[in-house]
Amino acid sequence: MPDPTTHPAPAHDTSHEHVGVMRRVYAIVLILVVLFVSGRAIQYLIVNLLVPYSPPEQITRIPSRLTEEVWKTKPDRFLGSMLAENPRAPLSHYHQIQGWFQPDPVNDCTRSGCHGPMPHSNRKETRAFLNMHATSLHCGVCHMESATEPLPLAWYNLRTGRKTEAPALLQAYGWLISEEGQAQLAEPTYQFQQRLIKLLSKAADQAAGDPTIRRLAEAVAGPRFSSPTFTGIVQTVLERLPSHFRGEYGAKLALLDERGNPLLGHPNTEATVQRFLDLRDELSPTAQVELLAKVHPQRRPDTLRCSDCHTRDSTMITLGTVGYPPERILTLQEGWIYTAIEHNKAGRPLYLPGFVAPRDEEGAATNPDLEVVPAPEP
Amino acid sequence: MRSPWTRTERSRRAVSGLLLAGLLALGCMPQWAQADDPDNCLLCHQYRGLGRYVPEQDAIHLYFTSPDYQHARLGAHARIACTDCHERSEVSVIPHKPVSKVDCTKTCHLHNVSGVARQFSHREADRWLSLGVHNPDTLAQLEFTNGPLLNEGQAYCLYCHDEPLFRDPADIIPEYDEFSPTATERCDVCHADQIPIDTRFQVRHVASRLVHARRPLEMAQTCSVCHSDMLIRETYELQDASVRYTSTYHGKAALLGELDTADCISCHVWPGENAHAIRAARDPESITHPTNKADSCRSVNCHPGADASIGQAAVHLDLPSLTGIEIILAVAFIIFTLMTFGPSLVLTVLELFQIVIGRHVEGEERMRQLTLNVLRHPEGRERLRRITPGQRWQHWILALLFAALVVTGFPMKFADQTWSRYVIESLGGLYNARQIHHYAGTLLVFGFLAHLAHVMWGMFVQARRTGPDGKPVGVVRAVMALPMFVGPKDVLKMVQMLGYLMGLRKKPPTFGRFTIDQKFGYLGVFWGTMVLGVTGFLLWDTQISSRFVDGRIFNLALIAHTYEAFLAVIHVGILHTCNVVFAPTVFPFSPATLTGDTPVTRLHEMHSEMVIEVAKDIGVAVPPEVEHA
């Protein structure tokens, strides 16, 4: 504000009137602000005295029951859990969850409200295993028709729904075990170290801040790239990474549509889906079936079976093309998983721990104390 | 004792230690994985999505087990195999047979690195439970508002317990982070081969058990599952424990991230007694029984040496449930707040309203011209500086201390607000915030005393002077001559001002150096500093003050402290800020407390008596109509 003693205002001009109007408007705004803030303050005083306090969310906002809705809830909605050093899992799940679930808000099948995030519930033998895949595969991979085989797949980002590159964890491991990576590890460079830190940090972020992967990144960042300590740490990282292939990548695999975009639902069915949801209780069984067929125009008549993908020969998913490293492919398509599926297909139960016991290269159990129960014939 | 290392050395060692720790931890993991999951259950159970949904219960049955828990040995149960809790015959086949619920009191085998497995059972905890209010019969009958929280047959232990995790040892031993990589090396000299022990695991285990199993906030979360559930509260006629806890200082501290404040167990279990044996307050053996309550506060971990009267303080100062003199004081303070803040608010708003309606006072322009004439005079400008340099310094010291007190005090009052935790964490934690609060409060009180002494001395000197009548001025006249003295004339002017602002009078009253609201503001600081100072000192260390005052005085002190602080904040934060920063007559800022110069508009509108007096003194012509007005 200019000093009126040195800058006296002119006797009369239009700008002066304009200032006058502005001054009035400003005064009105100030009155409203003062009244609002004062009102809130006085309201607080009275409410604070008369109305019983509400329990603070920092204490009560924790997931005590694991419902379908809770499963879909983002972790930052649980203020209590976010503030806890060791947040509790929902009570009925005794074991530590160590982080939260990665909800998939862009999957049309669950977003529509028709299907839950754990949709498989029929066969006891397979339901939990099938649901397990829901953390890394879109429903359409197994349940939607594709014109080409093996299936055209790509990763999609769980936040944006857009096509994305392979998860950083798979990239990191694939690179480290590749010839190029091994050669670089023999003579590490600064760029090698930086690339590994970047990939591991990204992998930790994608795995909802997984503290173990984060620690790996920090350990890699610690020593000089030329030191033996660094090489030792990278070797340890190589040993540890496979135990993090758990489908927590912040991304899932989905079929690609004809334009090369991830297919996150049946195309052009939003109105039909809404119609079905509105009318489903009133429809006759026949009408329901008819409408459901319209809701799922691209539904695969014969859903993919475990052995369609978990096999090296004529597999529906070429894991290598979506960034899986060879060792992981081996586990998924040739190792004990393949054997277990074959076993299950034959109707034979799997007995633990002998079946999945860690074994050495010659096939002997590495832990001699394990009780190996021979599998009975079906 | 502080470490003798220099800061640089400590940092260097910490960094290298961290790397070593990383290597050790990483290097050990594969072996652990093999040892602690002998049945290889994690091959499947490490997948977070392994589970199924049961629509009838709207419940997800999740079979995920964190592999990190086993691999990194994050808790005591990392040493036991899955089949120690789950029946081997039921889980050794895929798909698993119907699985029996885990019996927490069954005997398990703790595997040691020495190869010796020891038998262990939680049976003793069950016995303790039966002694207390959380006895198995009660727990078995719990019904929750939103349906059962546990699956049928699951152990009621799960209401309070999940897979036990070690707390961060650095919570308990602050130096742990710095020393941990090398601390166990010395132990391993003997314990690696001769007396094999997994020393890192043991250190973390023991450190974790030196304190309660959970941080205070997490403990409150655990208890709130039942004690904040509406149905349970109604069934057992309980108050909401989360509300009760967060109405204590301890609860607020927990909300603000404090780790060593009292949690539910601290006050509800005798020191050294098993935490499972919580007794009802009506039980004479309970620590919360009125006859024992003081001993809870006076335990060696909390307020040792406090007088028994500390037990009379209302730990849960939950205002709506208060009775007696506490509620009377609270109501009195609210009325007092309304009676003081209310009129000031009305005056401020009405003054702004005059601008909105464009009201002008007759002769305003002439008064403005006179003010400008006085300001053009070198002596006039000097004499119209209403606030002396000493007063300006005092003002800014007061402002600084006030701000420090608000920033450190209000997060404690509104501890459940997200911003509070942010502020406290920005200050380095609650301990730092409290230190700042205490010392800023002390400085404010000393400043107040110094100001009081200064005023008294001035008054004393004035009283001894000879007046125009040739007699000593005397104390009464000296008091009345104080610039901030509020006399009957001021009260009359306030009424006149109100009448003018409400359109009942044509002209506003005139003021000298200070207006009536400035005088009341000054008195408010006087009153507020005394109230906040006295109550603040009482509350600073209840351990000591309990020896001098009754415990119930703490309740009153807390009520007075919190309400007076609130009054001060709304007065300064809303009205004072509006008047000296945002008011159109001074915006963007009145320089009065920086340079001493009051804006011209404010001078001629609010301090016209002073302007006329100075004009006369320095010989600037005062138009008769102005003087008359």
Side-chain angles (χ1 to χ4, degrees), chain B residues 157-169:
Chain B
C157 311
L158 270 59
Y159 285 128
C160 304
H161 295 278
D162 57 349
E163 200 167 26
L165 275 167
F166 294 142
R167 281 181 63 176
D168 183 352

Side-chain angles (χ1 to χ4, degrees), chain A residues 17-272:
Chain A
E17 286 172 9
H18 178 68
V19 169
V21 173
M22 290 298 292
R23 204 164 175 250
R24 289 181 191 194
V25 173
Y26 176 75
I28 292 172
V29 173
L30 197 55
I31 288 174
L32 294 176
V33 171
V34 167
L35 285 178
F36 174 75
V37 180
S38 304
R40 289 297 301 266
I42 293 166
Q43 180 194 19
Y44 167 78
L45 277 180
I46 294 167
V47 168
N48 190 42
L49 183 70
L50 301 177
V51 180
Y53 299 165
S54 303
E57 289 199 343
Q58 291 93 327
I59 290 180
T60 54
R61 190 88 175 116
I62 53 170
S64 54
R65 293 184 79 226
L66 188 50
T67 61
E68 203 171 59
E69 198 53 44
V70 167
W71 178 274
K72 289 191 284 188
T73 308
K74 289 184 177 176
D76 58 4
R77 301 296 301 274
F78 298 111
L79 184 58
S81 302
M82 296 293 285
L83 292 175
E85 178 198 17
N86 298 321
R88 280 195 78 176
L91 269 61
S92 63
H93 185 69
Y94 166 78
H95 294 283
Q96 291 294 333
I97 287 184
Q98 295 277 303
W100 195 240
F101 314 103
Q102 294 190 335
D104 182 358
V106 294
N107 180 348
D108 282 350
C109 311
T110 51
R111 190 168 60 95
S112 61
C114 300
H115 300 281
M118 283 199 172
H120 306 97
S121 58
N122 293 337
R123 284 190 64 208
K124 176 179 165 61
E125 291 82 358
T126 54
R127 59 193 176 193
F129 288 115
L130 294 175
N131 287 330
M132 182 177 93
H133 287 73
T135 59
S136 52
L137 297 181
H138 182 270
C139 314
V141 174
C142 302
H143 294 281
M144 283 184 181
E145 262 187 327
S146 167
T148 54
E149 290 179 2
L151 304 174
L153 297 175
W155 295 95
Y156 69 94
N157 187 303
L158 289 183
R159 278 186 295 113
T160 62
R162 294 206 189 98
K163 195 170 160 182
T164 184
E165 59 184 359
L169 191 74
L170 299 180
Q171 282 188 49
Y173 189 71
W175 171 55
L176 283 178
I177 61 169
S178 68
E179 281 183 15
E180 179 207 345
Q182 288 293 310
Q184 290 185 19
L185 180 58
E187 289 177 26
T189 59
Y190 175 75
Q191 286 75 16
F192 174 86
Q193 184 184 28
Q194 292 307 307
R195 185 178 171 193
L196 189 54
I197 295 167
K198 195 175 166 189
L199 281 173
L200 291 175
S201 303
K202 195 172 174 188
D205 291 341
Q206 289 175 341
D210 186 306
T212 314
I213 306 178
R214 182 87 64 208
R215 276 201 294 276
L216 290 175
E218 286 165 1
V220 169
R224 269 186 65 79
F225 61 86
S226 54
S227 66
T229 311
F230 176 75
T231 314
I233 287 179
V234 177
Q235 289 295 351
T236 312
V237 168
L238 257 174
E239 286 171 19
R240 290 294 298 143
L241 284 188
S243 69
H244 288 275
F245 296 145
R246 303 175 201 155
E248 294 168 28
Y249 305 135
K252 284 187 189 178
L253 282 173
L255 282 176
L256 292 176
D257 62 17
E258 61 273 14
R259 285 176 297 175
N261 294 323
L263 193 59
L264 303 180
H266 291 276
N268 309 317
T269 53
E270 278 188 23
T272 324

Side-chain angles (χ1 to χ4, degrees), chain B residues 14-33:
Chain B
V15 170
S16 56
L18 189 69
L19 291 173
L20 189 59
L23 271 175
L24 282 170
L26 294 171
C28 290
M29 280 175 183
Q31 289 88 328
W32 287 359

Side-chain angles (χ1 to χ4, degrees), chain B residues 307 309 544-550:
Chain B
D307 189 81
S309 68
I544 295 171
S545 11
S546 68
R547 297 181 201 164
F548 306 105
V549 295
D550 188 88

